[in-house]
Structures are given as structure tokens and as C-alpha cells.
Amino acid sequence: MDSQQILDLYDWQEGLCFRHPARGTQETAHIKTIRPPAGGLQDVRACAECVLQIEDAKERAAARGGETYRPGRLSGASDAS
């Protein structure tokens, strides 16, 4: 899959990238929901650059573990645990 095909697997909305908050509001994808120690739930969002970096790391980890890489699944059932 090329980069655009991977990005197309995500729903994009305006938000702050967790790695680049100083860039301000930009198109981001939801990648995780966390439960901070202060309570409540917090959505973690990432810009396209970060989504591709995370997907690349996920693909390399799958290859090392002999697993099948499936792009587009950064947020999943393990969220908020």
C-alpha cells in the first residue's frame, strides 16, 4: 500500500496532533483513547505525518514478529484500558 492508501483508511477531523501541538489545529486521525490519572477520557489524535510514522513502526514490528501487517488499525478494542 502506498502512503495515500494508508491515510485513506482513517477518518480525519480538525484537532491537535499529540506530537505536534504547536502546529495548531490541523487534520488529524483518532489513534487512541486514554484514561489519564486525573480522570476522564482523552482522545489522542495524530497528523498524517505521524500516522505514517506509526504505521511504518507497526509494519516493521509485525515483520520482526512474523505477523501479518494490517494498516489502518491504530485505534482499536484495547483503547481506554
Side-chain angles (χ1 to χ4, degrees), residues 1-27:
M1 278 189 138
D2 69 27
S3 296
Q4 189 58 55
Q5 289 172 314
I6 292 171
L7 294 174
D8 288 346
L9 296 172
Y10 290 91
D11 293 322
W12 297 90
Q13 296 177 5
E14 292 289 313
L16 294 175
C17 175
F18 79 104
R19 288 183 175 167
H20 304 112
R23 291 184 183 173
T25 302
Q26 60 183 317
E27 288 292 305

PDB file of all heavy atoms in Angstrom, residues 1-27:
ATOM      1  N   MET A   1       0.849  -1.182   0.000  1.00  0.00           N
ATOM      2  CA  MET A   1       0.000   0.000   0.000  1.00  0.00           C
ATOM      3  C   MET A   1       0.890   1.239   0.000  1.00  0.00           C
ATOM      4  O   MET A   1       1.891   1.273   0.690  1.00  0.00           O
ATOM      5  CB  MET A   1      -0.845   0.061   1.263  1.00  0.00           C
ATOM      6  CG  MET A   1      -2.082  -0.748   1.269  1.00  0.00           C
ATOM      7  SD  MET A   1      -3.084  -0.351   2.732  1.00  0.00           S
ATOM      8  CE  MET A   1      -4.645  -0.324   1.943  1.00  0.00           C
ATOM      9  N   ASP A   2       0.455   2.239  -0.736  1.00  0.00           N
ATOM     10  CA  ASP A   2       1.217   3.490  -0.683  1.00  0.00           C
ATOM     11  C   ASP A   2       0.673   4.372   0.449  1.00  0.00           C
ATOM     12  O   ASP A   2      -0.327   4.050   1.092  1.00  0.00           O
ATOM     13  CB  ASP A   2       1.213   4.207  -2.037  1.00  0.00           C
ATOM     14  CG  ASP A   2      -0.142   4.767  -2.447  1.00  0.00           C
ATOM     15  OD1 ASP A   2      -0.987   5.086  -1.574  1.00  0.00           O
ATOM     16  OD2 ASP A   2      -0.370   4.924  -3.659  1.00  0.00           O
ATOM     17  N   SER A   3       1.375   5.465   0.703  1.00  0.00           N
ATOM     18  CA  SER A   3       1.026   6.339   1.829  1.00  0.00           C
ATOM     19  C   SER A   3      -0.406   6.842   1.768  1.00  0.00           C
ATOM     20  O   SER A   3      -1.116   6.840   2.779  1.00  0.00           O
ATOM     21  CB  SER A   3       1.985   7.535   1.884  1.00  0.00           C
ATOM     22  OG  SER A   3       3.290   7.096   2.134  1.00  0.00           O
ATOM     23  N   GLN A   4      -0.844   7.278   0.597  1.00  0.00           N
ATOM     24  CA  GLN A   4      -2.197   7.816   0.489  1.00  0.00           C
ATOM     25  C   GLN A   4      -3.244   6.745   0.763  1.00  0.00           C
ATOM     26  O   GLN A   4      -4.264   7.013   1.398  1.00  0.00           O
ATOM     27  CB  GLN A   4      -2.438   8.461  -0.880  1.00  0.00           C
ATOM     28  CG  GLN A   4      -3.761   9.213  -0.951  1.00  0.00           C
ATOM     29  CD  GLN A   4      -3.867  10.307   0.107  1.00  0.00           C
ATOM     30  OE1 GLN A   4      -3.003  11.179   0.186  1.00  0.00           O
ATOM     31  NE2 GLN A   4      -4.912  10.280   0.921  1.00  0.00           N
ATOM     32  N   GLN A   5      -2.999   5.527   0.322  1.00  0.00           N
ATOM     33  CA  GLN A   5      -3.950   4.445   0.589  1.00  0.00           C
ATOM     34  C   GLN A   5      -4.066   4.182   2.089  1.00  0.00           C
ATOM     35  O   GLN A   5      -5.152   3.919   2.597  1.00  0.00           O
ATOM     36  CB  GLN A   5      -3.518   3.167  -0.139  1.00  0.00           C
ATOM     37  CG  GLN A   5      -3.695   3.238  -1.632  1.00  0.00           C
ATOM     38  CD  GLN A   5      -3.092   2.044  -2.331  1.00  0.00           C
ATOM     39  OE1 GLN A   5      -1.964   1.641  -2.035  1.00  0.00           O
ATOM     40  NE2 GLN A   5      -3.838   1.469  -3.263  1.00  0.00           N
ATOM     41  N   ILE A   6      -2.945   4.258   2.796  1.00  0.00           N
ATOM     42  CA  ILE A   6      -2.974   4.073   4.247  1.00  0.00           C
ATOM     43  C   ILE A   6      -3.742   5.215   4.905  1.00  0.00           C
ATOM     44  O   ILE A   6      -4.610   4.989   5.745  1.00  0.00           O
ATOM     45  CB  ILE A   6      -1.551   3.958   4.818  1.00  0.00           C
ATOM     46  CG1 ILE A   6      -0.912   2.644   4.350  1.00  0.00           C
ATOM     47  CG2 ILE A   6      -1.564   4.041   6.346  1.00  0.00           C
ATOM     48  CD1 ILE A   6       0.559   2.510   4.663  1.00  0.00           C
ATOM     49  N   LEU A   7      -3.452   6.448   4.507  1.00  0.00           N
ATOM     50  CA  LEU A   7      -4.144   7.602   5.092  1.00  0.00           C
ATOM     51  C   LEU A   7      -5.649   7.543   4.830  1.00  0.00           C
ATOM     52  O   LEU A   7      -6.448   7.962   5.672  1.00  0.00           O
ATOM     53  CB  LEU A   7      -3.553   8.904   4.566  1.00  0.00           C
ATOM     54  CG  LEU A   7      -2.103   9.179   4.975  1.00  0.00           C
ATOM     55  CD1 LEU A   7      -1.583  10.428   4.276  1.00  0.00           C
ATOM     56  CD2 LEU A   7      -1.962   9.291   6.476  1.00  0.00           C
ATOM     57  N   ASP A   8      -6.037   7.016   3.673  1.00  0.00           N
ATOM     58  CA  ASP A   8      -7.458   6.915   3.323  1.00  0.00           C
ATOM     59  C   ASP A   8      -8.223   5.943   4.222  1.00  0.00           C
ATOM     60  O   ASP A   8      -9.448   5.960   4.253  1.00  0.00           O
ATOM     61  CB  ASP A   8      -7.620   6.498   1.860  1.00  0.00           C
ATOM     62  CG  ASP A   8      -7.257   7.601   0.890  1.00  0.00           C
ATOM     63  OD1 ASP A   8      -7.130   8.771   1.306  1.00  0.00           O
ATOM     64  OD2 ASP A   8      -7.067   7.283  -0.308  1.00  0.00           O
ATOM     65  N   LEU A   9      -7.515   5.120   4.978  1.00  0.00           N
ATOM     66  CA  LEU A   9      -8.167   4.179   5.892  1.00  0.00           C
ATOM     67  C   LEU A   9      -8.677   4.850   7.167  1.00  0.00           C
ATOM     68  O   LEU A   9      -9.410   4.246   7.934  1.00  0.00           O
ATOM     69  CB  LEU A   9      -7.194   3.057   6.271  1.00  0.00           C
ATOM     70  CG  LEU A   9      -6.744   2.162   5.121  1.00  0.00           C
ATOM     71  CD1 LEU A   9      -5.648   1.219   5.595  1.00  0.00           C
ATOM     72  CD2 LEU A   9      -7.922   1.390   4.536  1.00  0.00           C
ATOM     73  N   TYR A  10      -8.285   6.101   7.366  1.00  0.00           N
ATOM     74  CA  TYR A  10      -8.623   6.820   8.590  1.00  0.00           C
ATOM     75  C   TYR A  10      -9.664   7.900   8.330  1.00  0.00           C
ATOM     76  O   TYR A  10      -9.755   8.437   7.229  1.00  0.00           O
ATOM     77  CB  TYR A  10      -7.363   7.468   9.192  1.00  0.00           C
ATOM     78  CG  TYR A  10      -6.420   6.439   9.740  1.00  0.00           C
ATOM     79  CD1 TYR A  10      -5.430   5.894   8.957  1.00  0.00           C
ATOM     80  CD2 TYR A  10      -6.553   5.981  11.045  1.00  0.00           C
ATOM     81  CE1 TYR A  10      -4.578   4.920   9.445  1.00  0.00           C
ATOM     82  CE2 TYR A  10      -5.715   5.015  11.552  1.00  0.00           C
ATOM     83  CZ  TYR A  10      -4.725   4.485  10.741  1.00  0.00           C
ATOM     84  OH  TYR A  10      -3.898   3.515  11.240  1.00  0.00           O
ATOM     85  N   ASP A  11     -10.428   8.221   9.376  1.00  0.00           N
ATOM     86  CA  ASP A  11     -11.361   9.341   9.347  1.00  0.00           C
ATOM     87  C   ASP A  11     -10.609  10.550   9.884  1.00  0.00           C
ATOM     88  O   ASP A  11      -9.996  10.475  10.953  1.00  0.00           O
ATOM     89  CB  ASP A  11     -12.585   9.065  10.226  1.00  0.00           C
ATOM     90  CG  ASP A  11     -13.445   7.944   9.672  1.00  0.00           C
ATOM     91  OD1 ASP A  11     -13.584   7.867   8.441  1.00  0.00           O
ATOM     92  OD2 ASP A  11     -13.959   7.149  10.474  1.00  0.00           O
ATOM     93  N   TRP A  12     -10.653  11.649   9.165  1.00  0.00           N
ATOM     94  CA  TRP A  12      -9.882  12.846   9.505  1.00  0.00           C
ATOM     95  C   TRP A  12     -10.798  13.956   9.976  1.00  0.00           C
ATOM     96  O   TRP A  12     -11.852  14.191   9.393  1.00  0.00           O
ATOM     97  CB  TRP A  12      -9.071  13.300   8.289  1.00  0.00           C
ATOM     98  CG  TRP A  12      -8.081  12.248   7.907  1.00  0.00           C
ATOM     99  CD1 TRP A  12      -8.269  11.213   7.038  1.00  0.00           C
ATOM    100  CD2 TRP A  12      -6.778  12.076   8.438  1.00  0.00           C
ATOM    101  NE1 TRP A  12      -7.157  10.421   7.006  1.00  0.00           N
ATOM    102  CE2 TRP A  12      -6.217  10.933   7.849  1.00  0.00           C
ATOM    103  CE3 TRP A  12      -6.015  12.791   9.361  1.00  0.00           C
ATOM    104  CZ2 TRP A  12      -4.937  10.479   8.147  1.00  0.00           C
ATOM    105  CZ3 TRP A  12      -4.740  12.342   9.653  1.00  0.00           C
ATOM    106  CH2 TRP A  12      -4.209  11.201   9.052  1.00  0.00           C
ATOM    107  N   GLN A  13     -10.380  14.610  11.071  1.00  0.00           N
ATOM    108  CA  GLN A  13     -11.111  15.750  11.626  1.00  0.00           C
ATOM    109  C   GLN A  13     -10.093  16.760  12.130  1.00  0.00           C
ATOM    110  O   GLN A  13      -8.951  16.416  12.414  1.00  0.00           O
ATOM    111  CB  GLN A  13     -11.993  15.315  12.798  1.00  0.00           C
ATOM    112  CG  GLN A  13     -13.087  14.353  12.429  1.00  0.00           C
ATOM    113  CD  GLN A  13     -13.863  13.919  13.663  1.00  0.00           C
ATOM    114  OE1 GLN A  13     -13.645  14.392  14.766  1.00  0.00           O
ATOM    115  NE2 GLN A  13     -14.795  12.999  13.475  1.00  0.00           N
ATOM    116  N   GLU A  14     -10.552  17.980  12.297  1.00  0.00           N
ATOM    117  CA  GLU A  14      -9.685  19.012  12.862  1.00  0.00           C
ATOM    118  C   GLU A  14      -9.332  18.639  14.300  1.00  0.00           C
ATOM    119  O   GLU A  14     -10.177  18.163  15.055  1.00  0.00           O
ATOM    120  CB  GLU A  14     -10.401  20.368  12.856  1.00  0.00           C
ATOM    121  CG  GLU A  14     -10.634  20.928  11.459  1.00  0.00           C
ATOM    122  CD  GLU A  14      -9.354  21.389  10.805  1.00  0.00           C
ATOM    123  OE1 GLU A  14      -8.560  22.110  11.452  1.00  0.00           O
ATOM    124  OE2 GLU A  14      -9.130  21.033   9.640  1.00  0.00           O
ATOM    125  N   GLY A  15      -8.079  18.828  14.656  1.00  0.00           N
ATOM    126  CA  GLY A  15      -7.647  18.531  16.016  1.00  0.00           C
ATOM    127  C   GLY A  15      -6.180  18.863  16.188  1.00  0.00           C
ATOM    128  O   GLY A  15      -5.538  19.393  15.283  1.00  0.00           O
ATOM    129  N   LEU A  16      -5.650  18.531  17.343  1.00  0.00           N
ATOM    130  CA  LEU A  16      -4.241  18.753  17.643  1.00  0.00           C
ATOM    131  C   LEU A  16      -3.517  17.414  17.613  1.00  0.00           C
ATOM    132  O   LEU A  16      -3.950  16.454  18.240  1.00  0.00           O
ATOM    133  CB  LEU A  16      -4.059  19.374  19.030  1.00  0.00           C
ATOM    134  CG  LEU A  16      -4.589  20.786  19.222  1.00  0.00           C
ATOM    135  CD1 LEU A  16      -4.428  21.202  20.684  1.00  0.00           C
ATOM    136  CD2 LEU A  16      -3.874  21.758  18.310  1.00  0.00           C
ATOM    137  N   CYS A  17      -2.400  17.371  16.912  1.00  0.00           N
ATOM    138  CA  CYS A  17      -1.568  16.174  16.881  1.00  0.00           C
ATOM    139  C   CYS A  17      -0.853  16.046  18.226  1.00  0.00           C
ATOM    140  O   CYS A  17      -0.298  17.030  18.731  1.00  0.00           O
ATOM    141  CB  CYS A  17      -0.553  16.279  15.749  1.00  0.00           C
ATOM    142  SG  CYS A  17       0.622  14.902  15.704  1.00  0.00           S
ATOM    143  N   PHE A  18      -0.847  14.855  18.784  1.00  0.00           N
ATOM    144  CA  PHE A  18      -0.217  14.664  20.097  1.00  0.00           C
ATOM    145  C   PHE A  18       1.286  14.904  20.052  1.00  0.00           C
ATOM    146  O   PHE A  18       1.883  15.240  21.062  1.00  0.00           O
ATOM    147  CB  PHE A  18      -0.535  13.272  20.657  1.00  0.00           C
ATOM    148  CG  PHE A  18       0.283  12.135  20.077  1.00  0.00           C
ATOM    149  CD1 PHE A  18       1.319  11.582  20.799  1.00  0.00           C
ATOM    150  CD2 PHE A  18      -0.011  11.615  18.824  1.00  0.00           C
ATOM    151  CE1 PHE A  18       2.061  10.528  20.288  1.00  0.00           C
ATOM    152  CE2 PHE A  18       0.719  10.563  18.302  1.00  0.00           C
ATOM    153  CZ  PHE A  18       1.758  10.020  19.033  1.00  0.00           C
ATOM    154  N   ARG A  19       1.912  14.757  18.892  1.00  0.00           N
ATOM    155  CA  ARG A  19       3.348  15.001  18.769  1.00  0.00           C
ATOM    156  C   ARG A  19       3.670  16.429  18.357  1.00  0.00           C
ATOM    157  O   ARG A  19       4.784  16.881  18.536  1.00  0.00           O
ATOM    158  CB  ARG A  19       3.962  14.059  17.740  1.00  0.00           C
ATOM    159  CG  ARG A  19       4.063  12.630  18.181  1.00  0.00           C
ATOM    160  CD  ARG A  19       4.757  11.832  17.107  1.00  0.00           C
ATOM    161  NE  ARG A  19       4.990  10.459  17.510  1.00  0.00           N
ATOM    162  CZ  ARG A  19       5.345   9.504  16.676  1.00  0.00           C
ATOM    163  NH1 ARG A  19       5.516   9.771  15.389  1.00  0.00           N
ATOM    164  NH2 ARG A  19       5.538   8.275  17.112  1.00  0.00           N
ATOM    165  N   HIS A  20       2.710  17.105  17.740  1.00  0.00           N
ATOM    166  CA  HIS A  20       2.954  18.446  17.196  1.00  0.00           C
ATOM    167  C   HIS A  20       1.888  19.457  17.624  1.00  0.00           C
ATOM    168  O   HIS A  20       1.316  20.144  16.774  1.00  0.00           O
ATOM    169  CB  HIS A  20       2.984  18.396  15.662  1.00  0.00           C
ATOM    170  CG  HIS A  20       3.986  17.444  15.104  1.00  0.00           C
ATOM    171  ND1 HIS A  20       3.624  16.305  14.431  1.00  0.00           N
ATOM    172  CD2 HIS A  20       5.341  17.479  15.128  1.00  0.00           C
ATOM    173  CE1 HIS A  20       4.715  15.670  14.058  1.00  0.00           C
ATOM    174  NE2 HIS A  20       5.778  16.352  14.470  1.00  0.00           N
ATOM    175  N   PRO A  21       1.605  19.594  18.897  1.00  0.00           N
ATOM    176  CA  PRO A  21       0.547  20.519  19.297  1.00  0.00           C
ATOM    177  C   PRO A  21       0.855  21.974  18.932  1.00  0.00           C
ATOM    178  O   PRO A  21      -0.070  22.751  18.699  1.00  0.00           O
ATOM    179  CB  PRO A  21       0.441  20.338  20.813  1.00  0.00           C
ATOM    180  CG  PRO A  21       1.758  19.769  21.219  1.00  0.00           C
ATOM    181  CD  PRO A  21       2.223  18.942  20.047  1.00  0.00           C
ATOM    182  N   ALA A  22       2.128  22.328  18.828  1.00  0.00           N
ATOM    183  CA  ALA A  22       2.494  23.708  18.488  1.00  0.00           C
ATOM    184  C   ALA A  22       2.102  24.073  17.058  1.00  0.00           C
ATOM    185  O   ALA A  22       2.002  25.259  16.738  1.00  0.00           O
ATOM    186  CB  ALA A  22       3.997  23.921  18.688  1.00  0.00           C
ATOM    187  N   ARG A  23       1.848  23.092  16.231  1.00  0.00           N
ATOM    188  CA  ARG A  23       1.406  23.369  14.859  1.00  0.00           C
ATOM    189  C   ARG A  23      -0.036  23.848  14.820  1.00  0.00           C
ATOM    190  O   ARG A  23      -0.513  24.297  13.792  1.00  0.00           O
ATOM    191  CB  ARG A  23       1.546  22.125  13.991  1.00  0.00           C
ATOM    192  CG  ARG A  23       2.976  21.732  13.716  1.00  0.00           C
ATOM    193  CD  ARG A  23       3.029  20.553  12.785  1.00  0.00           C
ATOM    194  NE  ARG A  23       4.398  20.111  12.570  1.00  0.00           N
ATOM    195  CZ  ARG A  23       4.728  19.020  11.901  1.00  0.00           C
ATOM    196  NH1 ARG A  23       3.769  18.244  11.383  1.00  0.00           N
ATOM    197  NH2 ARG A  23       5.988  18.684  11.750  1.00  0.00           N
ATOM    198  N   GLY A  24      -0.732  23.715  15.929  1.00  0.00           N
ATOM    199  CA  GLY A  24      -2.113  24.163  15.987  1.00  0.00           C
ATOM    200  C   GLY A  24      -3.067  23.143  15.394  1.00  0.00           C
ATOM    201  O   GLY A  24      -2.712  22.000  15.110  1.00  0.00           O
ATOM    202  N   THR A  25      -4.285  23.593  15.196  1.00  0.00           N
ATOM    203  CA  THR A  25      -5.326  22.723  14.660  1.00  0.00           C
ATOM    204  C   THR A  25      -5.014  22.353  13.220  1.00  0.00           C
ATOM    205  O   THR A  25      -4.672  23.202  12.405  1.00  0.00           O
ATOM    206  CB  THR A  25      -6.693  23.429  14.740  1.00  0.00           C
ATOM    207  OG1 THR A  25      -6.946  23.770  16.109  1.00  0.00           O
ATOM    208  CG2 THR A  25      -7.809  22.541  14.240  1.00  0.00           C
ATOM    209  N   GLN A  26      -5.131  21.066  12.940  1.00  0.00           N
ATOM    210  CA  GLN A  26      -4.900  20.537  11.593  1.00  0.00           C
ATOM    211  C   GLN A  26      -5.711  19.259  11.433  1.00  0.00           C
ATOM    212  O   GLN A  26      -6.320  18.783  12.391  1.00  0.00           O
ATOM    213  CB  GLN A  26      -3.412  20.272  11.371  1.00  0.00           C
ATOM    214  CG  GLN A  26      -2.807  19.270  12.349  1.00  0.00           C
ATOM    215  CD  GLN A  26      -1.325  19.092  12.152  1.00  0.00           C
ATOM    216  OE1 GLN A  26      -0.866  18.990  11.025  1.00  0.00           O
ATOM    217  NE2 GLN A  26      -0.564  19.080  13.238  1.00  0.00           N
ATOM    218  N   GLU A  27      -5.725  18.700  10.265  1.00  0.00           N
ATOM    219  CA  GLU A  27      -6.422  17.437  10.044  1.00  0.00           C
ATOM    220  C   GLU A  27      -5.691  16.343  10.814  1.00  0.00           C
ATOM    221  O   GLU A  27      -4.477  16.176  10.679  1.00  0.00           O
ATOM    222  CB  GLU A  27      -6.454  17.088   8.553  1.00  0.00           C
ATOM    223  CG  GLU A  27      -7.392  17.963   7.746  1.00  0.00           C
ATOM    224  CD  GLU A  27      -8.843  17.709   8.105  1.00  0.00           C
ATOM    225  OE1 GLU A  27      -9.301  16.554   8.032  1.00  0.00           O
ATOM    226  OE2 GLU A  27      -9.527  18.688   8.465  1.00  0.00           O
TER     227      GLU A  27
END
